[in-house]
Amino acid sequence: MQTELSKKLGVEHAIFGFTPFPAVAAAISRAGGFGVLGAVRYTAPDDLKRDLDWVEAHVDGKPYGLDVVMPAKKVEGVSEADVEAMIPEGHRQFVQDTLAKYGVPELAEGEASGWRITGWMEQVARSQLDVAFDYPIRLLANALGSPPADVVARAHERNVLVAALAGSARHAVKHKEGGIDIVVAQGYEAGGHTGEIASMVLTPEVVDAVDPLPVLAAGGIGSGRQVAAALALGAQGAWLGSIWLTCTEADVSSPAVTRKLLAAGSGDTVRSRALTGKPARQLRTEWTDAWDDPAGPGTLPMPLQGLLVAEALTRIQKYEVEPLLGTPVGQIVGRMNSERTVQAVFDDLTRGFENAIDRMIRIAGRSGK
């Protein structure tokens, strides 16, 4: 399962695995793919350094990369406190009322809320890069489009390829103009922030729009035949994220989340702004329903929404309040019905890929071509 891009990066299979879990990223690289660690949850540089140390020690010398969430436009002089002050009191009250409705306990006195979605902020993202560029990463991916020009230049000085996600051909062309090396065409089916166009339509559009740049197909991919389809559409690899959430190496927030993922069907997700303020595909829950209800106050723009709900989500996860408990995940969740190791997922992907290619060869043979 090799392409020009996978050969350039020195990986056996053209499968790029995005994950927030260091153990999963390392296992993906060891299995012959390209592990990409998500950095958005690391607000403290020392925490990112700790986990990159771990990844470096467990990839067996195989290549890996980092994914950041960084706006292309720099915002000067804005602190997290400044942003917090913009949140309307009515929205704060709506959060408290919703938590009270479901009996969600308070955090213990002095206990800080967990992950806060601040990795989008200029100073946080740059502190992540200051750490990451001390490691031999081979790829820097940005989930919010093209990173600032100086970041692209800094990566290229270190022989690090730069990738950016795109939900339309128009966005992909902007990435190409910004000096990006790889475009990730992320379809509507994907987990997390995603656009309006399905992968089957988006991938060939982006391939044609940015030729000769390599394109990775993303969104709803979790089987070998889907990887084969992505390559048939012109992509040079597949970018997989959701499929790793139910791997045994994944440190998912709670057993209840894993149970919900294993039980969910492909129709049990929703694109909602409830998590960050931007449309993000996630498990549909009574929490997302509350925010999407026209009778509610509506969500705030990014990053206000993420800051508003950070403590609430910590409480929901800590106390495993199942009606409200969710996680970003794509429509491929319908195939994620058992816990497997990363290696077992890779074995299934490569076997399914070979079977799909063999089938297409037989079809082509019967056609006489």
Side-chain angles (χ1 to χ4, degrees), residues 2-84:
Q2 285 202 331
T3 64
E4 183 180 345
L5 178 60
S6 67
K7 292 176 182 177
K8 183 175 183 178
L9 288 168
V11 296
E12 183 180 359
H13 302 298
I15 293 175
F16 295 72
F18 163 79
T19 174
F21 309 119
V24 175
I28 291 168
S29 290
R30 288 199 307 272
F34 191 96
V36 182
L37 179 64
V40 69
R41 66 193 182 103
Y42 295 98
T43 56
D46 286 347
D47 291 342
L48 179 59
K49 183 180 187 304
R50 177 201 63 215
D51 282 357
L52 285 176
D53 282 340
W54 192 95
V55 170
E56 179 67 20
H58 290 83
V59 293
D60 294 346
K62 303 293 181 64
Y64 62 94
L66 191 75
D67 178 279
V68 298
V69 178
M70 191 174 194
K73 294 181 180 180
K74 186 173 182 177
V75 180
E76 299 280 4
V78 178
S79 68
E80 184 177 334
D82 294 332
V83 178
E84 287 264 17

Side-chain angles (χ1 to χ4, degrees), residues 186-191 194-199 202 218-219 271 281 331:
Q186 186 179 24
Y188 170 84
E189 309 94 325
T194 184
E196 304 277 355
I197 306 172
S199 299
L202 179 66
R271 285 175 75 247
R281 186 171 297 283
Q331 291 180 327

